[in-house]
Amino acid sequence: DSCVSRMTLRDEDAEKEHILEALRQTGNTKSVSGILLYAALFFIVTRIAAMLLQKSGAALYEWGWGLDAAGMLGARTPESMVSEMGWRAVPHVLLLAPFVEECAFRLGLSFRRWHIAAGLGALAYFFADWMLFFADVANARYWALPVWIAVAAGVYGFTTDGFWLSKRDRWLRPAMWASTVVFASVHLLSASALTWGLLPYVLLYVLGLFFSGCVFVYLRVNLGFGWALGAHMLCNLPPALFLLGALCD
């Protein structure tokens, strides 16, 4: 039995090393500058296009029905966040939110076991935090931390590196698209007045977030987690500055 166990472990280690070597070889085919340039151009073009479409949609609601679609959606504004969180709103938007969201939606795209475990734990934490928030539980983000720890420990303890790495070729592309769609969609949790009548505007509202998610996924897969996190923080810098301005008023 011990011989069979050692042979099984050696086979798993050999398979894992083979997969990791293949990942290293495929990950070095593009230059860092080329990846960053493509990501920046894609972000700028799609952000402008999304903003124009969103403005056009809002103008159409105003012109056709006399409705303020953006106001009716009830999304949180810098003023409302400042009134709720005070000075903590700035580090929340600039540091905490990007870190949690990158862990939840993109950390696991490496298909390493501890990345998958931490990522699924972060995803569980993300939704637990919102559920506790909607239930008016004070300090919801702290009470949700055990969920992150429990899910991460369970996934890490009951799966293997070889299992996740062997699924990478089949699951990577679907996981990339799924993470981007879910990332964009969950931001609607901050909107308090979703209705079917606002659905066309809602789709335009999440379009910019979807394109941003595409950029973060591209950087995560091609350069690594730190690059995606840095880009997310940079993307959140303007809202953080608006919050800072609202605090100073």
Side-chain angles (χ1 to χ4, degrees), residues 149-180:
I149 296 170
V151 172
V155 173
Y156 189 86
F158 290 99
T159 62
T160 64
D161 289 301
F163 171 79
W164 292 111
L165 290 172
S166 67
K167 306 298 182 185
R168 188 181 192 274
D169 289 341
R170 181 186 301 178
W171 291 359
L172 177 59
R173 194 173 297 274
M176 290 165 62
W177 286 110
S179 68
T180 305

PDB file of all heavy atoms in Angstrom, residues 149-180:
ATOM      1  N   ILE A 149     -12.710  32.148   5.208  1.00  0.00           N
ATOM      2  CA  ILE A 149     -11.747  31.193   5.756  1.00  0.00           C
ATOM      3  C   ILE A 149     -12.248  29.765   5.626  1.00  0.00           C
ATOM      4  O   ILE A 149     -11.502  28.850   5.218  1.00  0.00           O
ATOM      5  CB  ILE A 149     -11.461  31.537   7.230  1.00  0.00           C
ATOM      6  CG1 ILE A 149     -10.790  32.923   7.331  1.00  0.00           C
ATOM      7  CG2 ILE A 149     -10.582  30.469   7.879  1.00  0.00           C
ATOM      8  CD1 ILE A 149     -10.674  33.454   8.746  1.00  0.00           C
ATOM      9  N   ALA A 150     -13.538  29.536   5.938  1.00  0.00           N
ATOM     10  CA  ALA A 150     -14.094  28.185   5.912  1.00  0.00           C
ATOM     11  C   ALA A 150     -14.128  27.623   4.492  1.00  0.00           C
ATOM     12  O   ALA A 150     -13.742  26.462   4.266  1.00  0.00           O
ATOM     13  CB  ALA A 150     -15.503  28.192   6.514  1.00  0.00           C
ATOM     14  N   VAL A 151     -14.587  28.403   3.534  1.00  0.00           N
ATOM     15  CA  VAL A 151     -14.660  27.929   2.153  1.00  0.00           C
ATOM     16  C   VAL A 151     -13.265  27.670   1.600  1.00  0.00           C
ATOM     17  O   VAL A 151     -13.014  26.641   0.958  1.00  0.00           O
ATOM     18  CB  VAL A 151     -15.426  28.938   1.277  1.00  0.00           C
ATOM     19  CG1 VAL A 151     -15.335  28.557  -0.202  1.00  0.00           C
ATOM     20  CG2 VAL A 151     -16.887  29.022   1.701  1.00  0.00           C
ATOM     21  N   ALA A 152     -12.329  28.591   1.847  1.00  0.00           N
ATOM     22  CA  ALA A 152     -10.966  28.417   1.354  1.00  0.00           C
ATOM     23  C   ALA A 152     -10.325  27.160   1.947  1.00  0.00           C
ATOM     24  O   ALA A 152      -9.681  26.378   1.231  1.00  0.00           O
ATOM     25  CB  ALA A 152     -10.130  29.645   1.686  1.00  0.00           C
ATOM     26  N   ALA A 153     -10.518  26.958   3.242  1.00  0.00           N
ATOM     27  CA  ALA A 153      -9.937  25.783   3.894  1.00  0.00           C
ATOM     28  C   ALA A 153     -10.547  24.494   3.352  1.00  0.00           C
ATOM     29  O   ALA A 153      -9.844  23.505   3.127  1.00  0.00           O
ATOM     30  CB  ALA A 153     -10.146  25.871   5.402  1.00  0.00           C
ATOM     31  N   GLY A 154     -11.863  24.507   3.113  1.00  0.00           N
ATOM     32  CA  GLY A 154     -12.528  23.316   2.594  1.00  0.00           C
ATOM     33  C   GLY A 154     -12.053  22.955   1.201  1.00  0.00           C
ATOM     34  O   GLY A 154     -11.757  21.781   0.912  1.00  0.00           O
ATOM     35  N   VAL A 155     -11.983  23.955   0.312  1.00  0.00           N
ATOM     36  CA  VAL A 155     -11.542  23.690  -1.056  1.00  0.00           C
ATOM     37  C   VAL A 155     -10.089  23.232  -1.078  1.00  0.00           C
ATOM     38  O   VAL A 155      -9.738  22.274  -1.779  1.00  0.00           O
ATOM     39  CB  VAL A 155     -11.725  24.951  -1.936  1.00  0.00           C
ATOM     40  CG1 VAL A 155     -11.104  24.743  -3.312  1.00  0.00           C
ATOM     41  CG2 VAL A 155     -13.201  25.298  -2.063  1.00  0.00           C
ATOM     42  N   TYR A 156      -9.242  23.880  -0.287  1.00  0.00           N
ATOM     43  CA  TYR A 156      -7.829  23.504  -0.270  1.00  0.00           C
ATOM     44  C   TYR A 156      -7.632  22.108   0.321  1.00  0.00           C
ATOM     45  O   TYR A 156      -6.788  21.335  -0.144  1.00  0.00           O
ATOM     46  CB  TYR A 156      -7.025  24.522   0.529  1.00  0.00           C
ATOM     47  CG  TYR A 156      -5.534  24.326   0.417  1.00  0.00           C
ATOM     48  CD1 TYR A 156      -4.823  24.891  -0.645  1.00  0.00           C
ATOM     49  CD2 TYR A 156      -4.825  23.573   1.356  1.00  0.00           C
ATOM     50  CE1 TYR A 156      -3.453  24.711  -0.766  1.00  0.00           C
ATOM     51  CE2 TYR A 156      -3.461  23.382   1.239  1.00  0.00           C
ATOM     52  CZ  TYR A 156      -2.779  23.958   0.174  1.00  0.00           C
ATOM     53  OH  TYR A 156      -1.427  23.761   0.051  1.00  0.00           O
ATOM     54  N   GLY A 157      -8.410  21.790   1.338  1.00  0.00           N
ATOM     55  CA  GLY A 157      -8.222  20.514   2.024  1.00  0.00           C
ATOM     56  C   GLY A 157      -8.764  19.314   1.268  1.00  0.00           C
ATOM     57  O   GLY A 157      -8.240  18.203   1.412  1.00  0.00           O
ATOM     58  N   PHE A 158      -9.801  19.520   0.441  1.00  0.00           N
ATOM     59  CA  PHE A 158     -10.466  18.386  -0.187  1.00  0.00           C
ATOM     60  C   PHE A 158     -10.209  18.280  -1.687  1.00  0.00           C
ATOM     61  O   PHE A 158     -10.846  17.476  -2.369  1.00  0.00           O
ATOM     62  CB  PHE A 158     -11.978  18.451   0.073  1.00  0.00           C
ATOM     63  CG  PHE A 158     -12.344  18.178   1.498  1.00  0.00           C
ATOM     64  CD1 PHE A 158     -12.606  19.234   2.372  1.00  0.00           C
ATOM     65  CD2 PHE A 158     -12.397  16.887   1.992  1.00  0.00           C
ATOM     66  CE1 PHE A 158     -12.938  18.995   3.701  1.00  0.00           C
ATOM     67  CE2 PHE A 158     -12.731  16.632   3.315  1.00  0.00           C
ATOM     68  CZ  PHE A 158     -12.995  17.690   4.181  1.00  0.00           C
ATOM     69  N   THR A 159      -9.291  19.091  -2.224  1.00  0.00           N
ATOM     70  CA  THR A 159      -8.916  18.973  -3.632  1.00  0.00           C
ATOM     71  C   THR A 159      -7.397  18.921  -3.734  1.00  0.00           C
ATOM     72  O   THR A 159      -6.690  19.107  -2.746  1.00  0.00           O
ATOM     73  CB  THR A 159      -9.455  20.159  -4.466  1.00  0.00           C
ATOM     74  OG1 THR A 159      -8.890  21.389  -3.981  1.00  0.00           O
ATOM     75  CG2 THR A 159     -10.969  20.246  -4.390  1.00  0.00           C
ATOM     76  N   THR A 160      -6.904  18.702  -4.941  1.00  0.00           N
ATOM     77  CA  THR A 160      -5.464  18.601  -5.149  1.00  0.00           C
ATOM     78  C   THR A 160      -5.031  19.567  -6.252  1.00  0.00           C
ATOM     79  O   THR A 160      -5.836  20.014  -7.072  1.00  0.00           O
ATOM     80  CB  THR A 160      -5.054  17.180  -5.566  1.00  0.00           C
ATOM     81  OG1 THR A 160      -5.652  16.875  -6.846  1.00  0.00           O
ATOM     82  CG2 THR A 160      -5.495  16.154  -4.536  1.00  0.00           C
ATOM     83  N   ASP A 161      -3.722  19.879  -6.286  1.00  0.00           N
ATOM     84  CA  ASP A 161      -3.176  20.712  -7.345  1.00  0.00           C
ATOM     85  C   ASP A 161      -3.390  20.073  -8.713  1.00  0.00           C
ATOM     86  O   ASP A 161      -3.751  20.747  -9.690  1.00  0.00           O
ATOM     87  CB  ASP A 161      -1.684  20.946  -7.120  1.00  0.00           C
ATOM     88  CG  ASP A 161      -1.408  21.857  -5.947  1.00  0.00           C
ATOM     89  OD1 ASP A 161      -1.876  23.002  -5.945  1.00  0.00           O
ATOM     90  OD2 ASP A 161      -0.694  21.399  -5.025  1.00  0.00           O
ATOM     91  N   GLY A 162      -3.152  18.763  -8.778  1.00  0.00           N
ATOM     92  CA  GLY A 162      -3.287  18.070 -10.051  1.00  0.00           C
ATOM     93  C   GLY A 162      -4.688  18.138 -10.615  1.00  0.00           C
ATOM     94  O   GLY A 162      -4.868  18.261 -11.831  1.00  0.00           O
ATOM     95  N   PHE A 163      -5.683  18.075  -9.739  1.00  0.00           N
ATOM     96  CA  PHE A 163      -7.085  18.136 -10.199  1.00  0.00           C
ATOM     97  C   PHE A 163      -7.365  19.448 -10.898  1.00  0.00           C
ATOM     98  O   PHE A 163      -7.894  19.480 -12.014  1.00  0.00           O
ATOM     99  CB  PHE A 163      -8.022  17.957  -9.010  1.00  0.00           C
ATOM    100  CG  PHE A 163      -9.469  18.227  -9.341  1.00  0.00           C
ATOM    101  CD1 PHE A 163     -10.229  17.280  -9.999  1.00  0.00           C
ATOM    102  CD2 PHE A 163     -10.049  19.445  -9.011  1.00  0.00           C
ATOM    103  CE1 PHE A 163     -11.554  17.537 -10.332  1.00  0.00           C
ATOM    104  CE2 PHE A 163     -11.368  19.710  -9.326  1.00  0.00           C
ATOM    105  CZ  PHE A 163     -12.127  18.758  -9.990  1.00  0.00           C
ATOM    106  N   TRP A 164      -7.000  20.566 -10.262  1.00  0.00           N
ATOM    107  CA  TRP A 164      -7.310  21.879 -10.833  1.00  0.00           C
ATOM    108  C   TRP A 164      -6.479  22.160 -12.073  1.00  0.00           C
ATOM    109  O   TRP A 164      -7.005  22.669 -13.077  1.00  0.00           O
ATOM    110  CB  TRP A 164      -7.095  22.972  -9.790  1.00  0.00           C
ATOM    111  CG  TRP A 164      -8.082  22.915  -8.667  1.00  0.00           C
ATOM    112  CD1 TRP A 164      -7.838  22.585  -7.368  1.00  0.00           C
ATOM    113  CD2 TRP A 164      -9.486  23.170  -8.755  1.00  0.00           C
ATOM    114  NE1 TRP A 164      -8.991  22.633  -6.632  1.00  0.00           N
ATOM    115  CE2 TRP A 164     -10.025  22.991  -7.459  1.00  0.00           C
ATOM    116  CE3 TRP A 164     -10.339  23.539  -9.793  1.00  0.00           C
ATOM    117  CZ2 TRP A 164     -11.377  23.161  -7.187  1.00  0.00           C
ATOM    118  CZ3 TRP A 164     -11.688  23.714  -9.530  1.00  0.00           C
ATOM    119  CH2 TRP A 164     -12.191  23.521  -8.236  1.00  0.00           C
ATOM    120  N   LEU A 165      -5.185  21.833 -12.040  1.00  0.00           N
ATOM    121  CA  LEU A 165      -4.331  22.118 -13.193  1.00  0.00           C
ATOM    122  C   LEU A 165      -4.738  21.294 -14.407  1.00  0.00           C
ATOM    123  O   LEU A 165      -4.601  21.746 -15.550  1.00  0.00           O
ATOM    124  CB  LEU A 165      -2.876  21.855 -12.835  1.00  0.00           C
ATOM    125  CG  LEU A 165      -2.264  22.843 -11.838  1.00  0.00           C
ATOM    126  CD1 LEU A 165      -0.885  22.372 -11.399  1.00  0.00           C
ATOM    127  CD2 LEU A 165      -2.167  24.239 -12.447  1.00  0.00           C
ATOM    128  N   SER A 166      -5.253  20.093 -14.182  1.00  0.00           N
ATOM    129  CA  SER A 166      -5.690  19.260 -15.300  1.00  0.00           C
ATOM    130  C   SER A 166      -6.952  19.797 -15.965  1.00  0.00           C
ATOM    131  O   SER A 166      -7.261  19.433 -17.099  1.00  0.00           O
ATOM    132  CB  SER A 166      -5.942  17.826 -14.813  1.00  0.00           C
ATOM    133  OG  SER A 166      -7.058  17.781 -13.922  1.00  0.00           O
ATOM    134  N   LYS A 167      -7.689  20.664 -15.270  1.00  0.00           N
ATOM    135  CA  LYS A 167      -8.918  21.241 -15.820  1.00  0.00           C
ATOM    136  C   LYS A 167      -8.687  22.556 -16.543  1.00  0.00           C
ATOM    137  O   LYS A 167      -9.614  23.102 -17.145  1.00  0.00           O
ATOM    138  CB  LYS A 167      -9.936  21.486 -14.692  1.00  0.00           C
ATOM    139  CG  LYS A 167     -10.255  20.275 -13.838  1.00  0.00           C
ATOM    140  CD  LYS A 167     -10.887  19.165 -14.644  1.00  0.00           C
ATOM    141  CE  LYS A 167     -11.245  17.977 -13.754  1.00  0.00           C
ATOM    142  NZ  LYS A 167     -11.762  16.836 -14.551  1.00  0.00           N
ATOM    143  N   ARG A 168      -7.462  23.076 -16.481  1.00  0.00           N
ATOM    144  CA  ARG A 168      -7.215  24.434 -16.971  1.00  0.00           C
ATOM    145  C   ARG A 168      -7.554  24.609 -18.449  1.00  0.00           C
ATOM    146  O   ARG A 168      -8.242  25.562 -18.828  1.00  0.00           O
ATOM    147  CB  ARG A 168      -5.756  24.828 -16.723  1.00  0.00           C
ATOM    148  CG  ARG A 168      -5.472  26.295 -17.036  1.00  0.00           C
ATOM    149  CD  ARG A 168      -4.010  26.624 -16.802  1.00  0.00           C
ATOM    150  NE  ARG A 168      -3.782  28.062 -16.833  1.00  0.00           N
ATOM    151  CZ  ARG A 168      -3.557  28.763 -17.940  1.00  0.00           C
ATOM    152  NH1 ARG A 168      -3.524  28.150 -19.110  1.00  0.00           N
ATOM    153  NH2 ARG A 168      -3.356  30.067 -17.876  1.00  0.00           N
ATOM    154  N   ASP A 169      -7.069  23.696 -19.298  1.00  0.00           N
ATOM    155  CA  ASP A 169      -7.294  23.854 -20.732  1.00  0.00           C
ATOM    156  C   ASP A 169      -8.774  23.858 -21.085  1.00  0.00           C
ATOM    157  O   ASP A 169      -9.214  24.585 -21.968  1.00  0.00           O
ATOM    158  CB  ASP A 169      -6.578  22.739 -21.498  1.00  0.00           C
ATOM    159  CG  ASP A 169      -5.059  22.897 -21.473  1.00  0.00           C
ATOM    160  OD1 ASP A 169      -4.599  24.021 -21.186  1.00  0.00           O
ATOM    161  OD2 ASP A 169      -4.353  21.908 -21.723  1.00  0.00           O
ATOM    162  N   ARG A 170      -9.558  23.057 -20.385  1.00  0.00           N
ATOM    163  CA  ARG A 170     -10.982  22.949 -20.691  1.00  0.00           C
ATOM    164  C   ARG A 170     -11.787  24.077 -20.072  1.00  0.00           C
ATOM    165  O   ARG A 170     -12.738  24.569 -20.683  1.00  0.00           O
ATOM    166  CB  ARG A 170     -11.524  21.602 -20.193  1.00  0.00           C
ATOM    167  CG  ARG A 170     -13.003  21.383 -20.497  1.00  0.00           C
ATOM    168  CD  ARG A 170     -13.507  20.104 -19.857  1.00  0.00           C
ATOM    169  NE  ARG A 170     -12.758  18.935 -20.319  1.00  0.00           N
ATOM    170  CZ  ARG A 170     -12.986  17.707 -19.872  1.00  0.00           C
ATOM    171  NH1 ARG A 170     -13.888  17.489 -18.934  1.00  0.00           N
ATOM    172  NH2 ARG A 170     -12.277  16.694 -20.345  1.00  0.00           N
ATOM    173  N   TRP A 171     -11.414  24.513 -18.881  1.00  0.00           N
ATOM    174  CA  TRP A 171     -12.251  25.446 -18.128  1.00  0.00           C
ATOM    175  C   TRP A 171     -11.782  26.885 -18.171  1.00  0.00           C
ATOM    176  O   TRP A 171     -12.530  27.775 -17.772  1.00  0.00           O
ATOM    177  CB  TRP A 171     -12.321  25.001 -16.664  1.00  0.00           C
ATOM    178  CG  TRP A 171     -13.081  23.743 -16.447  1.00  0.00           C
ATOM    179  CD1 TRP A 171     -13.717  22.967 -17.378  1.00  0.00           C
ATOM    180  CD2 TRP A 171     -13.288  23.084 -15.186  1.00  0.00           C
ATOM    181  NE1 TRP A 171     -14.306  21.877 -16.799  1.00  0.00           N
ATOM    182  CE2 TRP A 171     -14.052  21.920 -15.450  1.00  0.00           C
ATOM    183  CE3 TRP A 171     -12.887  23.350 -13.885  1.00  0.00           C
ATOM    184  CZ2 TRP A 171     -14.441  21.045 -14.444  1.00  0.00           C
ATOM    185  CZ3 TRP A 171     -13.265  22.479 -12.872  1.00  0.00           C
ATOM    186  CH2 TRP A 171     -14.045  21.345 -13.146  1.00  0.00           C
ATOM    187  N   LEU A 172     -10.566  27.155 -18.640  1.00  0.00           N
ATOM    188  CA  LEU A 172     -10.046  28.521 -18.538  1.00  0.00           C
ATOM    189  C   LEU A 172     -10.899  29.528 -19.298  1.00  0.00           C
ATOM    190  O   LEU A 172     -11.310  30.551 -18.735  1.00  0.00           O
ATOM    191  CB  LEU A 172      -8.599  28.585 -19.040  1.00  0.00           C
ATOM    192  CG  LEU A 172      -7.978  29.991 -19.048  1.00  0.00           C
ATOM    193  CD1 LEU A 172      -7.986  30.601 -17.651  1.00  0.00           C
ATOM    194  CD2 LEU A 172      -6.565  29.956 -19.614  1.00  0.00           C
ATOM    195  N   ARG A 173     -11.164  29.268 -20.574  1.00  0.00           N
ATOM    196  CA  ARG A 173     -11.919  30.248 -21.363  1.00  0.00           C
ATOM    197  C   ARG A 173     -13.326  30.472 -20.810  1.00  0.00           C
ATOM    198  O   ARG A 173     -13.744  31.631 -20.637  1.00  0.00           O
ATOM    199  CB  ARG A 173     -11.952  29.828 -22.832  1.00  0.00           C
ATOM    200  CG  ARG A 173     -12.423  30.935 -23.762  1.00  0.00           C
ATOM    201  CD  ARG A 173     -12.281  30.515 -25.207  1.00  0.00           C
ATOM    202  NE  ARG A 173     -10.895  30.287 -25.573  1.00  0.00           N
ATOM    203  CZ  ARG A 173     -10.078  31.245 -25.976  1.00  0.00           C
ATOM    204  NH1 ARG A 173     -10.514  32.497 -26.062  1.00  0.00           N
ATOM    205  NH2 ARG A 173      -8.834  30.973 -26.298  1.00  0.00           N
ATOM    206  N   PRO A 174     -14.104  29.394 -20.508  1.00  0.00           N
ATOM    207  CA  PRO A 174     -15.419  29.642 -19.890  1.00  0.00           C
ATOM    208  C   PRO A 174     -15.315  30.391 -18.563  1.00  0.00           C
ATOM    209  O   PRO A 174     -16.164  31.244 -18.261  1.00  0.00           O
ATOM    210  CB  PRO A 174     -15.991  28.233 -19.699  1.00  0.00           C
ATOM    211  CG  PRO A 174     -15.288  27.390 -20.693  1.00  0.00           C
ATOM    212  CD  PRO A 174     -13.908  27.960 -20.803  1.00  0.00           C
ATOM    213  N   ALA A 175     -14.285  30.076 -17.774  1.00  0.00           N
ATOM    214  CA  ALA A 175     -14.117  30.760 -16.485  1.00  0.00           C
ATOM    215  C   ALA A 175     -13.806  32.236 -16.679  1.00  0.00           C
ATOM    216  O   ALA A 175     -14.275  33.090 -15.910  1.00  0.00           O
ATOM    217  CB  ALA A 175     -12.999  30.096 -15.681  1.00  0.00           C
ATOM    218  N   MET A 176     -13.027  32.571 -17.707  1.00  0.00           N
ATOM    219  CA  MET A 176     -12.710  33.969 -17.987  1.00  0.00           C
ATOM    220  C   MET A 176     -13.974  34.760 -18.316  1.00  0.00           C
ATOM    221  O   MET A 176     -14.199  35.846 -17.782  1.00  0.00           O
ATOM    222  CB  MET A 176     -11.710  34.055 -19.147  1.00  0.00           C
ATOM    223  CG  MET A 176     -10.313  33.565 -18.810  1.00  0.00           C
ATOM    224  SD  MET A 176      -9.272  33.278 -20.275  1.00  0.00           S
ATOM    225  CE  MET A 176      -9.214  34.926 -20.972  1.00  0.00           C
ATOM    226  N   TRP A 177     -14.807  34.212 -19.210  1.00  0.00           N
ATOM    227  CA  TRP A 177     -16.040  34.917 -19.585  1.00  0.00           C
ATOM    228  C   TRP A 177     -17.015  34.974 -18.417  1.00  0.00           C
ATOM    229  O   TRP A 177     -17.656  36.009 -18.179  1.00  0.00           O
ATOM    230  CB  TRP A 177     -16.687  34.233 -20.787  1.00  0.00           C
ATOM    231  CG  TRP A 177     -15.984  34.487 -22.069  1.00  0.00           C
ATOM    232  CD1 TRP A 177     -15.265  33.593 -22.815  1.00  0.00           C
ATOM    233  CD2 TRP A 177     -15.887  35.738 -22.767  1.00  0.00           C
ATOM    234  NE1 TRP A 177     -14.730  34.193 -23.926  1.00  0.00           N
ATOM    235  CE2 TRP A 177     -15.110  35.511 -23.925  1.00  0.00           C
ATOM    236  CE3 TRP A 177     -16.379  37.014 -22.534  1.00  0.00           C
ATOM    237  CZ2 TRP A 177     -14.824  36.530 -24.842  1.00  0.00           C
ATOM    238  CZ3 TRP A 177     -16.095  38.019 -23.440  1.00  0.00           C
ATOM    239  CH2 TRP A 177     -15.338  37.774 -24.577  1.00  0.00           C
ATOM    240  N   ALA A 178     -17.138  33.865 -17.689  1.00  0.00           N
ATOM    241  CA  ALA A 178     -18.078  33.838 -16.558  1.00  0.00           C
ATOM    242  C   ALA A 178     -17.673  34.848 -15.493  1.00  0.00           C
ATOM    243  O   ALA A 178     -18.520  35.568 -14.944  1.00  0.00           O
ATOM    244  CB  ALA A 178     -18.147  32.434 -15.968  1.00  0.00           C
ATOM    245  N   SER A 179     -16.365  34.931 -15.202  1.00  0.00           N
ATOM    246  CA  SER A 179     -15.913  35.857 -14.163  1.00  0.00           C
ATOM    247  C   SER A 179     -16.180  37.299 -14.574  1.00  0.00           C
ATOM    248  O   SER A 179     -16.529  38.141 -13.737  1.00  0.00           O
ATOM    249  CB  SER A 179     -14.418  35.660 -13.884  1.00  0.00           C
ATOM    250  OG  SER A 179     -13.625  36.077 -14.988  1.00  0.00           O
ATOM    251  N   THR A 180     -16.049  37.586 -15.872  1.00  0.00           N
ATOM    252  CA  THR A 180     -16.274  38.943 -16.353  1.00  0.00           C
ATOM    253  C   THR A 180     -17.750  39.321 -16.282  1.00  0.00           C
ATOM    254  O   THR A 180     -18.102  40.424 -15.849  1.00  0.00           O
ATOM    255  CB  THR A 180     -15.764  39.083 -17.799  1.00  0.00           C
ATOM    256  OG1 THR A 180     -14.387  38.688 -17.848  1.00  0.00           O
ATOM    257  CG2 THR A 180     -15.890  40.507 -18.292  1.00  0.00           C
TER     258      THR A 180
END
